[in-house]
Amino acid sequence: MDVRELLRRSGGPVTRDRIGHDLAALGLGPGDTVMFHTRLSAIGYVPGGPETVVDALLDLVGPTGTLMVPCSWNDAPPYDFTTWPSSWQDAVRAHHPAYDPELSEADHSNGRLPEALRRRPGAVRSRHPDASLAALGPSAAALMADHPWDDPHGPGSPLARLVALGGRVLLLGAPGETMTLLHFAESLAQAPGKRFVTYEQPVRVDGVRVWRTFHDIDSTDGAFDYSPVVPEGQDPFAVIVRAMLDAGIGRTGTVGAADSHLFDAGPAVDFGVRWIEEHLNAPG
């Protein structure tokens, strides 16, 4: 989308002050701990791009607030590299760099904002290569500390700590399927057929590069088979988020040109667990 089209959609430049004003109207405020997902193009033309959005969020939550984003690892070895010919596997094992929280790029599929935030001075990124998150603010270290190697979306994870701190989730022009917090709901939900993955990635332990095996819910193809309860072509998380909003959980507003939603993390997880269990445990 070209700049003129972005300007037309947003009725002019979406400045740092305008973003802050719109987010305040949505309900975000000083002292909030908020995990955010952003589709930058949905906002309109933002002078300064991702850095302007981060600055606007920092302005709003203030010195006592904390920002958090999902990162993952853009250059992680593929889950299935262990099925490659042995000589290819050997080359990867010998030469693939270890995950480095300070240097390894955030997954590009998460958009530009996670990489912008994790590069900020003072930002803290968690140690888990595949499920890493980053945070900036006074609660950052507590949120990111000792990210569990296994079940990294479950109890003890940064997602669980966000809930424990009374944090919030902001979908800033981002669709419902981006709500990473619902992976925490999946990890807690008790329903048949929960799917797991086991994979290997290189990390540093006491300064030494080692290959480690990880175990987690399947956060790529889905922790459950939602096809019996989700219409074909629709994303399960998007369906759950819509049901959440219909139930009166979350607030909706416009930031620039972007339809946006703000949720309290605890009620969102509780709703997600109930939705999964009620739909996937239903007779028939």
Side-chain angles (χ1 to χ4, degrees):
M1 189 176 296
D2 63 29
V3 171
R4 284 186 177 274
E5 176 60 17
L6 291 173
L7 285 164
R8 184 196 64 77
R9 288 181 50 210
S10 55
V14 184
T15 62
R16 176 173 171 174
D17 287 348
R18 182 177 169 187
I19 294 170
H21 175 273
D22 291 350
L23 287 172
L26 185 59
L28 196 67
D32 278 343
T33 296
V34 59
M35 180 179 183
F36 65 95
H37 306 267
T38 307
R39 192 174 72 186
L40 190 62
S41 62
I43 301 173
Y45 176 67
V46 180
E51 301 298 339
T52 295
V53 177
V54 173
D55 285 336
L57 285 161
L58 289 172
D59 290 343
L60 201 55
V61 302
T64 60
T66 298
L67 305 180
M68 176 169 153
V69 288
C71 289
S72 301
W73 180 16
N74 192 68
D75 298 304
Y79 284 176
D80 67 351
F81 91 93
T82 53
T83 67
W84 296 356
S86 58
S87 61
W88 297 4
Q89 291 185 48
D90 291 344
V92 171
R93 291 186 186 283
H95 299 290
H96 199 294
Y99 166 73
D100 185 327
E102 294 186 5
L103 297 178
S104 299
E105 286 190 29
D107 190 336
H108 294 177
S109 68
N110 289 328
R112 297 169 64 193
L113 270 295
E115 183 69 8
L117 182 85
R118 77 153 195 92
R119 288 174 174 267
R120 286 281 176 125
V124 180
R125 188 176 183 186
S126 68
R127 70 179 184 175
H128 197 286
D130 195 63
S132 71
L133 300 100
L136 177 63
S139 297
L143 284 164
M144 297 298 114
D146 299 325
H147 193 166
W149 293 123
D150 295 313
D151 196 15
H153 294 98
S157 69
L159 301 178
R161 290 172 180 167
L162 178 70
V163 172
L165 286 176
R168 314 180 84 180
V169 174
L170 171 66
L171 300 183
L172 182 52
E177 55 260 36
T178 64
M179 189 187 272
T180 300
L181 185 68
L182 287 176
H183 289 310
F184 181 36
E186 289 184 317
S187 77
L188 298 176
Q190 299 298 311
K194 186 178 288 191
R195 301 188 292 216
F196 297 90
V197 291
T198 299
Y199 54 94
E200 297 178 53
Q201 292 185 349
V203 295
R204 289 203 174 274
V205 178
D206 297 328
V208 178
R209 174 181 167 275
V210 298
W211 282 84
R212 194 189 191 287
T213 300
F214 300 90
H215 186 69
D216 190 14
I217 57 171
D218 188 345
S219 60
T220 300
D221 295 324
F224 298 98
D225 176 10
Y226 291 101
S227 61
V229 296
V230 171
E232 186 176 357
Q234 296 189 33
D235 184 272
F237 280 14
V239 171
I240 295 172
V241 167
R242 175 47 54 191
M244 199 182 300
L245 291 165
D246 290 345
I249 298 172
R251 300 180 61 169
T252 297
T254 304
V255 180
D259 293 333
S260 301
H261 309 285
L262 181 65
F263 303 88
D264 289 330
V269 169
D270 291 343
F271 184 92
V273 171
R274 286 197 308 273
W275 192 97
I276 292 169
E277 292 182 345
E278 288 173 4
H279 285 75
L280 298 185
N281 287 315

